[in-house]
Amino acid sequence: MSSDEGTRGRVRVRAVYPGTFDPFTPGHLDVVERARDLFDEVVVLVAVNGAKHPTASGEERAAAVRAVLPVEWTSVTVAAWSGLTATYCRRHEVGVIVRGVRNITDLWTEHQLAAMNQSLGVPTVFLPTQPELAAVSSTSVRALGT
């Protein structure tokens, strides 16, 4: 059995969950928790995007995400990344992108990104937000903190 096969002879699937995570919310944590049940490994990919102006650097946001992840979630790692998510996936042998969607507006936006990433060879899986977390966004959390 090759090193990328699981104990049942299937290929291990690594997933990436990209986002700005400014800050990482209970909804984000829920998506990671559910992605852990679907995939062998999950990388929380903290986006470093010059077009956005987060309140902290990519490494600081990555450290904040690491700090809230339960230590027993050994199949979850966190990385900061500047560049296309599909490029990260190709360079790190990640097979799928995970995206959380709160509402129809999110779904429309995410569908467009998914189409682009699919054209670059990386499929996307959408995980709908739990109803009790649908109103929570990083923007609303930041607004409450000020």
Side-chain angles (χ1 to χ4, degrees), residues 49-123:
N49 181 342
K52 293 191 174 187
H53 303 287
T55 59
S57 73
E59 285 302 327
E60 290 168 329
R61 286 179 284 127
V65 172
R66 280 185 204 99
V68 298
L69 295 176
V71 294
E72 62 272 13
W73 289 9
T74 58
S75 64
V76 179
T77 57
V78 181
W81 176 256
S82 178
L84 293 177
T85 300
T87 302
Y88 180 92
C89 292
R90 284 194 305 274
R91 289 186 185 169
H92 296 91
E93 299 178 355
V94 173
V96 66
I97 296 169
V98 172
R99 296 298 295 169
V101 291
R102 292 171 296 162
N103 53 44
I104 195 72
T105 303
D106 279 359
L107 183 59
W108 175 249
T109 302
E110 294 298 339
H111 182 269
Q112 292 174 319
L113 287 172
M116 180 192 71
N117 285 318
Q118 181 69 44
S119 74
L120 296 171
V122 187

Side-chain angles (χ1 to χ4, degrees), residues 37 55 133:
D37 292 336
T55 59
L133 298 173

Side-chain angles (χ1 to χ4, degrees), residues 29-68:
L29 185 64
D30 178 66
V31 169
V32 174
E33 182 173 19
R34 290 188 292 140
R36 288 177 57 243
D37 292 336
L38 298 172
F39 304 103
D40 298 297
E41 295 177 48
V42 177
V43 179
V44 179
L45 194 64
V46 178
V48 178
N49 181 342
K52 293 191 174 187
H53 303 287
T55 59
S57 73
E59 285 302 327
E60 290 168 329
R61 286 179 284 127
V65 172
R66 280 185 204 99
V68 298

